[in-house]
Amino acid sequence: MPDERFAIAQVTPYAWEQHHEVNRFVERVSDELCGRGHRVVVVAPSDSRGLIRDSRRLVRGLADDPDAVFAADGCAQVVAVGQSIPFPPARRAAAVSLPVDVSRTIQQLLESAAFDFVHVHEPFAPSASSTALRHSRSLNIGTFHAATERVISTQVARRIVALLFGRLDGRTASFAATRELVSRHFPGDYRLVPPGADVVERDGESGGAVEILFAMEEERSALRLFLRALRRLPADLPWRATVWSRQPYFEPSAPLGRALRERVRFRSSADGSEAQHLAAADVLVAASAGSGAAPQLVLGALAGGAVPVVSRVRVYEDALSDGELGLLFEPRDAAMLASQLERLIRDERLRRGLRDAARARRAELTWARTADGIERLYREVAARRHSAEGRPEIRRRLARRGFIHVDLHMHTDHSHDCATRVETLIETAARRGLDAIAVTDHNEVSGALEARERANGRVKVIVGEEVKTADQGEVIGLFIEEKIPRGMTLQETIAEIRRQGGLVYVPHPFDRMHAVPDYEYLLEVVEDIDAIEVFNPRVAFSAFNEEAARFAAKYRIPAGAGSDSHVVQGLGSVKIRMRDFEGPEEFLESLRDADIVRKRQSLVYVQALKFLQTKASPAHARRRAARRTAGTGG
């Protein structure tokens, strides 16, 4: 069976014209994935008004032609969703896109195009990445790159950001330092997928003076430290230095002394690419103090054959395997940097040994290997999805059946928080046009068994129970016969439902007002979930239902709905129109093609009735009210 090909949106928060390491990662990985047959779209802010205008015109046309967003085979389409707005940067006057003018375009794109994955990079708010994660209806992968503290996200808005990250179905980190930092604030499973490097073959040993390269990829203070270190080198050492910048005609703000002017050259992209200069250098210096580290630059040096001399910043230590592949110095210590440079210049054997050690790791530094790690995670996450076909033989049989209306979630006075008698529930359900109901009392199955016994053909009763797990929310077992004790783990509860031949139905997921399993818990058992409640009229915010619908759609889980009625007035507030069924197998296949019929219902009114009937009235008054409701039809 051939490997599945995916439709993927790669989202970066940085303007596509910026030469940022995140953008380089997105570009190289996208090219690799396209070459393997996947369809990739790069979603990014832009500094080009023309590109933004064309992209928005493309997005508007997706309603008629959703596949238009995918470019020709072998390349990734760039969709510019808005202009980048300067934001307090981590380094180098970077800019991220605030979701001022991008949210609508991203939402329209993700609703119109059929993506298997939305892969967001640095999804901290506010950015195009966080906006895409908020609107995504696909499987979500998050990649974290920088190992720098983000005070707003990790301290001020930590709880809100944690909820947003809860939508991630898979997480990767570019470096071990990044993984440790992010997981400390937002616990989760972060797979380590390092970036690759662009390689240009070396012509051979340079001979003569040692060529030292400094690339302007870090904060500007790193250049000042580098020049101070060069001034400390003994005059008799044979060395030359090149300062390379992407900006043309770059010169330092302060004039250089005569001794440095004779040995230091300033070059730009017009004189060759970064990779070309790395291939021509003997030594690379990376002198960041941490705020503007450029670890891909160090990896490029290893791939190109230049020996790195780097500040003791954690991501640099990771890149050099804690000093096995290069030399380290303390941040901001010009004297120590000068000493390490002098050591390398004088000791040719040391340079050759470090270069040979890096050459042995060169196969690990390709972008193909990075894409391997990303693609492997895609396949693992996609494998959690349920079959899109189900059981066709049962569905063909069901196609000859008539339609019925079903409510999959309700309670009787066998629940601690409900005063509705079983007989009242059955009579009201029949009058409201329900052909089948699932009675799902809290931690009790006796009410459902009694309802089935009393129904006498008026309605079909599915025996169920809403079980409270130890600390992972509630789960409903449908088509069971025996009471399932509360307080077990989610996995143990599911196993007991399975033992009885029942179906696992997750009620009101993502409703923070209920006891619900967290997103991470659901991911652990997603293959065992038979159906999920995507509409519950009692949730406080419609967004909770929308989140459930997204989860069900991207994992191809049959969608259910229920009134969650604790008073008979709530019955019929939502119905499922589905083919008539017998037993759990036919029920599940019928549910795949069902329609949910919604009816407006005042949550405040229903909750007030629930309180009056279960809390505010004495027992004898509740019994009289139940009898009156049975006589009038509620």
Side-chain angles (χ1 to χ4, degrees):
M1 181 178 178
D3 289 335
E4 185 177 2
R5 304 304 180 194
F6 301 121
I8 305 160
Q10 296 272 354
V11 189
T12 172
Y14 298 99
W16 191 238
E17 294 77 14
Q18 291 184 21
H19 295 282
H20 195 282
E21 288 197 349
V22 171
N23 288 355
R24 180 186 298 169
F25 188 102
V26 169
E27 181 181 10
R28 299 297 191 271
V29 169
S30 295
D31 288 343
E32 286 285 340
L33 293 174
C34 284
R36 302 176 187 196
H38 302 289
R39 299 193 298 172
V40 183
V41 172
V42 173
V43 181
S46 174
D47 294 328
S48 169
R49 293 181 180 273
L51 181 58
I52 294 170
R53 184 172 56 252
D54 293 343
S55 296
R56 288 182 171 173
R57 186 183 303 116
L58 172 67
V59 171
R60 287 194 298 270
L62 294 180
D64 298 323
D65 184 11
D67 284 342
V69 74
F70 299 105
D73 292 342
C75 61
Q77 173 93 303
V78 177
V79 177
V81 292
Q83 287 188 288
S84 59
I85 300 174
F87 188 73
R91 62 184 177 93
R92 300 193 313 276
V96 300
S97 174
L98 298 175
V100 175
D101 62 342
V102 305
S103 183
R104 181 179 300 176
T105 303
I106 290 176
Q107 182 178 4
Q108 188 175 0
L109 169 66
L110 299 184
E111 289 178 351
S112 301
F115 292 110
D116 294 293
F117 287 95
V118 171
H119 189 152
V120 293
H121 297 262
E122 303 285 38
F124 297 97
S127 70
S129 294
S130 65
T131 303
L133 184 55
R134 181 160 54 89
H135 291 296
S136 171
R137 298 172 179 269
S138 309
L139 297 168
N140 300 315
I141 304 296
T143 291
F144 297 83
H145 298 269
T148 52
E149 185 77 40
R150 297 173 182 265
V151 177
I152 293 178
S153 294
T154 60
Q155 303 297 331
V156 180
R158 181 175 177 178
R159 294 186 64 181
I160 296 174
V161 175
L163 288 175
L164 183 66
F165 287 1
R167 296 184 177 182
L168 293 172
D169 303 280
R171 310 182 188 200
T172 77
S174 291
F175 300 95
T178 307
R179 179 171 61 184
E180 291 174 11
L181 175 67
V182 179
S183 62
R184 184 164 64 247
H185 297 291
F186 307 104
D189 180 15
Y190 295 82
R191 182 169 303 185
L192 189 61
V193 182
D198 298 324
V199 178
V200 174
E201 295 296 333
R202 298 176 69 89
D203 294 331
E205 299 301 326
S206 60
V210 173
E211 181 67 36
I212 304 171
L213 175 67
F214 181 91
M216 287 292 297
E217 297 290 293
E218 305 171 300
E219 67 269 30
R220 284 186 174 270
S221 59
L223 174 61
R224 294 193 293 269
L225 181 74
F226 173 63
L227 295 176
R228 287 202 303 271
L230 293 182
R231 294 188 185 100
R232 293 172 178 266
L233 293 176
D236 63 329
L237 285 180
W239 61 269
R240 296 191 307 269
T242 298
V243 177
W244 181 86
S245 172
R246 298 184 188 279
Q247 303 300 321
Y249 312 114
F250 170 77
E251 291 286 346
S253 55
L256 300 181
R258 179 179 178 182
L260 283 187
R261 287 202 309 271
E262 293 176 352
R263 294 196 183 199
V264 179
R265 299 171 299 176
F266 294 90
R267 296 291 183 264
S268 71
S269 55
D271 303 301
S273 68
E274 178 182 278
Q276 289 173 325
H277 280 80
L278 285 170
D282 298 302
V283 176
L284 168 81
V285 172
S288 171
S291 64
Q296 286 187 28
L297 173 65
V298 178
L299 294 178
L302 295 175
V307 177
V309 180
V310 303
S311 55
R312 194 182 291 275
V313 173
R314 180 60 196 280
V315 288
Y316 288 166
E317 291 180 297
D318 288 348
L320 296 188
S321 299
D322 293 323
E324 292 182 10
L325 306 177
L327 300 183
L328 304 171
F329 63 93
E330 292 300 321
R332 303 184 181 88
D333 191 336
M336 187 173 180
L337 170 56
S339 296
Q340 294 288 52
L341 287 175
E342 181 178 356
R343 179 184 172 194
L344 268 182
I345 295 168
R346 294 189 184 279
D347 193 340
E348 182 180 355
R349 178 181 297 180
L350 176 61
R351 294 200 308 273
R352 187 181 303 112
L354 290 171
R355 187 178 298 120
D356 290 344
R359 187 177 296 115
R361 304 276 186 94
R362 191 169 181 176
E364 303 175 8
L365 300 175
T366 65
W367 286 108
R369 188 172 183 272
T370 303
D372 287 343
I374 296 295
E375 189 178 38
R376 191 178 304 116
L377 179 59
Y378 287 166
R379 298 200 185 282
E380 290 177 14
V381 172
R384 301 175 190 160
R385 294 186 294 189
H386 291 215
S387 169
E389 297 181 358
R391 300 182 62 177
E393 71 280 3
I394 296 180
R395 296 170 81 175
R396 285 192 294 269
R397 184 166 70 236
L398 290 171
R400 297 189 292 269
R401 306 267 183 86
F403 287 97
I404 62 174
H405 288 95
V406 184
D407 185 337
L408 291 181
H409 190 176
M410 63 189 65
H411 300 271
T412 73
D413 57 4
H414 291 245
S415 285
H416 62 277
D417 58 351
C418 179
T420 304
R421 294 184 305 141
V422 170
E423 182 62 29
T424 303
L425 183 75
I426 293 172
E427 291 181 359
T428 307
R431 278 195 300 273
R432 299 268 170 94
L434 290 169
D435 303 289
I437 60 174
V439 179
T440 55
D441 286 319
H442 293 290
N443 308 303
E444 185 55 72
V445 77
S446 57
L449 294 173
E450 180 183 342
R452 185 175 63 183
E453 183 179 347
R454 289 174 172 267
N456 294 324
R458 289 175 288 177
V459 293
K460 183 182 298 186
V461 176
I462 300 171
V463 176
E465 178 185 352
E466 187 171 1
V467 187
K468 181 72 172 292
T469 64
D471 57 3
Q472 296 164 298
E474 295 172 324
V475 64
I476 288 176
L478 298 176
F479 295 95
I480 62 175
E481 295 294 326
E482 303 170 16
K483 176 180 177 178
I484 299 174
R486 64 176 295 171
M488 297 188 294
T489 66
L490 182 58
Q491 288 84 350
E492 290 170 340
T493 304
I494 289 174
E496 178 58 22
I497 295 172
R498 288 275 185 257
R499 185 191 68 80
Q500 297 189 38
L503 298 178
V504 178
Y505 181 51
V506 179
H508 42 65
F510 313 115
D511 180 3
R512 297 302 185 266
M513 305 303 177
H514 283 84
V516 296
D518 289 338
Y519 199 102
E520 290 79 6
Y521 292 143
L522 288 182
L523 290 183
E524 293 175 3
V525 298
V526 67
E527 295 93 341
D528 296 317
I529 298 172
D530 294 304
I532 190 168
E533 189 174 72
V534 303
F535 186 80
N536 182 316
R538 293 185 63 247
V539 300
F541 303 101
S542 61
F544 297 149
N545 284 330
E546 293 168 5
E547 187 72 11
R550 285 195 186 100
F551 188 89
K554 68 184 180 180
Y555 281 105
R556 302 170 180 166
I557 303 172
S563 62
D564 197 2
S565 171
H566 287 68
V567 293
V568 293
Q569 286 81 0
L571 282 172
S573 55
V574 61
K575 301 176 183 178
I576 303 175
R577 184 177 181 269
M578 59 193 295
R579 297 281 184 179
D580 199 1
F581 58 87
E582 293 295 336
E585 290 184 346
E586 288 192 354
F587 167 83
L588 193 58
E589 292 307 316
S590 179
L591 192 62
R592 292 182 187 276
D593 299 317
D595 294 319
I596 297 174
V597 182
R598 305 175 185 179
K599 177 182 177 182
R600 287 191 175 274
Q601 183 76 25
S602 171
L603 177 61
V604 174
Y605 169 65
V606 172
Q607 288 291 73
L609 286 175
K610 173 185 172 183
F611 175 78
L612 291 172
Q613 291 186 18
T614 61
K615 303 293 184 183
S617 302
H620 64 85
R622 293 199 298 269
R623 287 193 292 270
R624 286 200 302 271
R627 286 196 292 271
R628 287 197 301 272
T629 300
T632 62

